[in-house]
Amino acid sequence: MVETRQSVSIALRQQTKAQSARSVREIVCYVPGVMVETDGIQPKGDDRVFLHALA
């Protein structure tokens, strides 16, 4: 089995409140390597979350 480097980002409640985040989209936009795009017309558009793996 090959070992793969992994990292974990944790969004703390205090950080979420300080950013006034009200959705998962608003929280993960501050996580390195994560990109969120909206597909469709707001407010009913679908959010797509992309994870970028760094080697």
Side-chain angles (χ1 to χ4, degrees), residues 2-52:
V2 177
E3 287 189 35
T4 304
R5 294 188 306 174
Q6 300 177 15
S7 65
V8 175
S9 295
I10 300 172
L12 301 176
R13 181 177 294 152
Q14 297 90 339
Q15 178 183 2
T16 304
K17 285 183 177 182
Q19 295 169 346
S20 299
R22 297 177 308 201
S23 68
V24 172
R25 182 188 204 284
E26 292 176 350
I27 294 169
V28 299
C29 72
Y30 294 101
V31 176
V34 177
M35 183 176 63
V36 180
E37 293 182 353
T38 300
D39 181 35
I41 300 172
Q42 285 288 8
K44 295 189 176 198
D46 295 325
D47 288 336
R48 294 181 180 178
V49 178
F50 298 92
L51 304 175
H52 183 269

